Structures are given as structure tokens and as C-alpha cells.
Amino acid sequence: MEGGRRGPLLTALLVAWVAAAAAAEAEAGPEQAMLPQERSLVRPMTASNWTLVLEGEWMLKFYAPWCPSCQQTDSEWETFAKNGEILQISVGKVDVIQEPGLSGRFFVTTLPAFFHAKDGIFRRYRGPGIYEDLQNYILEKKWQSVEPLTGWKSPASLTMSGMAGLFSISGKIWHLHNYFTVTLGVPAWCSYVFFIIATLIFGLFMGLVLVVISECFYLPLPRHLSEGSEQNLRSEEAHTTEQLQDAEEEKDDSNEEENKDSLVDDEEEKEDLGYEEEAEEDEEDSPGAGMDEKRSDARDQGPLREAQEDEGPAGTEENAPEQPCPAGTEAAEDTVRQRRSQHADKGPSA
């Protein structure tokens, strides 16, 4: 009897305890629900909304979930975003794993990477990423001393848009490789072979497309124009060959004339030398002619000597500084030579 009474009492106690626990949970639930969850003020940036950065003032952070340095600066970045309204600046972040196109557009090579944007002009922030340093960077306008990314380096340029496309394609290939190796369990070398074959096929296809486009836009010339152009080319070639032949003939003619002139000059020199040798021989053979020449020279010089003697020493002293003219001596020598040649001609005839 006692055991039968205790059973209902125990069950009643258990039911009361469960009811009390449920009531306590019901009372605690609304209190927890009333607590507001802390909302992050850092705006995630993607390829679809990144153009918002081109207006106003922004600070961007590029990170990866597996990067330890990025995780260390998360709290500092959140604190900086909370004071964004006071600093009148917007704060954003970019996950390079999910958004490889944006990392290519900003050409991010190290993590974490920070960028400052002011009305579409971008600058690279190379500080430690601490809240105090970030705040001073904005308040003191230290970004003005940093060289901006202009020209092809600007994220809004055409070249960086192409870089974003390449990075996005590489990101898709990486995700596909992970799908093959992790999800499907395919060996890595099989995945590499697949991508190599796909690259070759894609290259051949693009080459075929380019050939088709060139054939479509290429306008062939009419036949009469093509024949005329060929005839013109042939005539130009013939004309150039004729000009070359004429130039060679002129060179040959000039060389021949020069050789003839040189030969004539040599013969004349030889003849002159022969005449001089003959004259010398004639002079040696005719001593009488030489004596006559000497006598005639003495006769010519006689009056001159008498005049000099009459003038005396004074005349000699006055005329001493004067020297005979070289031209007169040459003329006298010429007359002597002529007389010798005349006597030589008379000698054999006599």
C-alpha cells in the first residue's frame, strides 16, 4: 500500500519540477529576446556595389578569413566603423576569396590591404591599421601627402577592369578545381590535365573565331585592279634594274677614261724624259757649241762689268742689298737652254 502511494507522489513531484523549469525558461526567453544584437557598421563590398566608393570618402579593407593578420585588425576596424559617422567617412571590407575580381581591380598582392578613396581618387594606406592611427589619418588629412593611384593604376580605369576580369576567371577556375578535388574526390593531376586540355581547345576556338571575323570584314580587290597592281610592280622592278645597269655602265666608262688619261700622262712623261736625255747627249757631243755659248755670255756680261767698275764701290754698296729676282734668273736659264738647243741643232747640220 505504501509503495502504491509513493508512485503517484513521485510522478506528481516530477511533473511539478518540469513545469517550474519550463516557466523559468519562459520568463528568461523574453528578456534575452529584448537584448539588441550588436550590428556591424562595416559594409561588405562586392562586384555589384563597389561603384559606391566613387562618391564621398571611404576606407576599404581587403582581407581573407584564413589570414591571421586580418583577424588581428578586425576589432580595430569595427571600432573605426562605429566612429565613421563622427568622422564623416564610410567603412567597407572586401573578402578576396569571395570577390577575386575586386582584388584584381585594386591589384591587391598583400593582406590585409587598406585603401582610402575621396571622390573617386584612390590612395594606398600603409599604416598599421590601428584605430588611433586610422582616426589621425582622416582627421589630420594625412592622405593628402600620399601619391594617388592615377592613370592605368586607378581601379576605375579600363586596364584595371580587364585585370578584374582575369582575376574573376582565375577565382572561378580555383573554385572549380576545389570542386573536382574536394567534393568529387578527383586526383589533382586529373584536374590539371582537364584544365590544360580545356585551355588548348579554348585557344583553338578563339583562333577560329578571329579567322572568321577577318574573312567577314576583309574586302578582296577586283581582278583588274589586282592585275594592274601586278603590272605596276613588274614595270617598277624593270625600271630599277635598268637604272642599276646604267649606273654600272657609267662607272665602267668612267674607269676606262681614267685609265686612258693615266696612260697618256705616262707616255708624255716618258717622251719628255727622252727629249731631255737626247739634249744632254747632243750637248756633250758638241763642245764647240758650248764654247760659242760661253763666249756669247761673256760678251753679254762685258758691258755690265764695265758699268759696275765705273760706278765703283759706292754703286756696289748701294746695290748690295738688292738681290736678283728669281723670275729673272729663271728667264735667263730659259734663254740659255734655247741657245744650247739651237747650237745643238746647228752642230749636226754643219
Side-chain angles (χ1 to χ4, degrees):
M1 294 295 289
E2 291 178 357
R5 292 177 181 176
R6 289 178 182 176
L9 290 173
L10 290 173
T11 55
L13 291 172
L14 289 172
V15 170
W17 182 76
V18 170
E25 289 179 358
E27 291 177 357
E31 292 179 357
Q32 291 179 355
M34 290 175 66
L35 292 174
Q37 294 182 355
E38 188 176 359
R39 185 174 63 88
S40 177
L41 297 177
V42 179
R43 183 179 297 182
M45 307 303 295
T46 61
S48 59
N49 66 349
W50 83 273
T51 53
L52 297 173
V53 184
L54 299 176
E55 297 178 358
E57 191 171 5
W58 285 76
M59 284 293 291
L60 294 178
K61 173 187 175 183
F62 288 81
Y63 73 99
W66 47 264
C67 176
S69 299
C70 301
Q71 294 174 2
Q72 291 176 1
T73 58
D74 283 343
S75 59
E76 299 288 339
W77 197 250
E78 291 289 341
T79 306
F80 179 65
K82 289 178 181 177
N83 296 325
E85 294 181 358
I86 300 172
L87 300 173
Q88 295 181 356
I89 189 171
S90 301
V91 181
K93 62 180 180 180
V94 180
D95 187 355
V96 296
I97 303 299
Q98 299 297 327
E99 299 295 334
L102 281 181
S103 64
R105 185 179 291 277
F106 285 81
F107 202 70
V108 176
T109 56
T110 57
L111 294 175
F114 304 95
F115 287 88
H116 173 266
K118 177 71 173 176
D119 296 330
I121 298 174
F122 297 87
R123 292 175 174 85
R124 183 74 179 266
Y125 168 76
R126 300 185 182 277
I130 302 171
Y131 167 71
E132 294 179 356
D133 190 74
L134 291 168
Q135 186 176 3
N136 294 330
Y137 186 79
I138 300 301
L139 292 175
E140 298 177 4
K141 294 184 179 182
K142 293 181 180 180
W143 50 268
Q144 292 180 352
S145 61
V146 180
E147 184 179 359
L149 301 175
T150 57
W152 66 272
K153 295 181 180 180
S154 177
S157 64
L158 184 62
T159 54
M160 289 295 105
S161 298
M163 190 68 71
L166 292 175
F167 271 66
S168 61
I169 291 170
S170 65
K172 291 178 181 177
I173 292 171
W174 183 75
H175 286 299
L176 187 60
H177 175 72
N178 287 338
Y179 175 75
F180 287 155
T181 56
V182 177
T183 306
L184 300 180
V186 177
W189 66 270
C190 292
S191 177
Y192 295 148
V193 170
F194 170 77
F195 284 116
I196 291 169
I197 294 171
T199 303
L200 293 174
I201 294 171
F202 181 74
L204 293 173
F205 176 74
M206 290 300 295
L208 179 62
V209 170
L210 291 175
V211 169
V212 171
I213 291 171
S214 63
E215 290 292 334
C216 292
F217 287 97
Y218 175 70
L219 296 176
L221 294 172
R223 290 184 178 179
H224 65 278
L225 293 176
S226 61
E227 292 176 357
S229 61
E230 290 178 358
Q231 291 178 357
N232 292 328
L233 289 172
R234 290 176 183 175
S235 63
E236 288 178 358
E237 290 177 356
H239 184 64
T240 51
T241 51
E242 290 178 357
Q243 288 180 352
L244 291 172
Q245 290 176 358
D246 295 337
E248 290 177 356
E249 289 177 357
E250 289 177 358
K251 288 181 180 178
D252 295 335
D253 295 337
S254 63
N255 291 328
E256 289 178 358
E257 291 178 357
E258 289 178 357
N259 293 327
K260 288 180 181 179
D261 295 336
S262 62
L263 291 172
V264 170
D265 294 335
D266 294 336
E267 290 177 356
E268 290 178 354
E269 289 178 358
K270 288 179 180 179
E271 290 177 357
D272 295 335
L273 292 172
Y275 289 145
E276 290 178 358
E277 290 177 357
E278 289 177 357
E280 290 177 357
E281 289 176 358
D282 293 336
E283 288 176 359
E284 291 176 356
D285 294 336
S286 59
M291 293 296 291
D292 294 336
E293 289 178 358
K294 290 179 180 179
R295 288 175 184 176
S296 62
D297 292 337
R299 289 175 185 176
D300 294 335
Q301 292 178 358
L304 294 172
R305 289 178 181 176
E306 291 176 357
Q308 290 177 357
E309 289 176 357
D310 294 336
E311 290 177 358
T316 55
E317 290 177 358
E318 292 177 357
N319 296 325
E322 296 181 358
Q323 294 181 358
C325 181
T329 56
E330 290 179 358
E333 289 178 358
D334 292 336
T335 55
V336 171
R337 288 177 184 174
Q338 290 177 1
R339 289 177 182 177
R340 287 179 182 178
S341 62
Q342 289 176 1
H343 287 295
D345 292 337
K346 290 177 181 180
S349 62

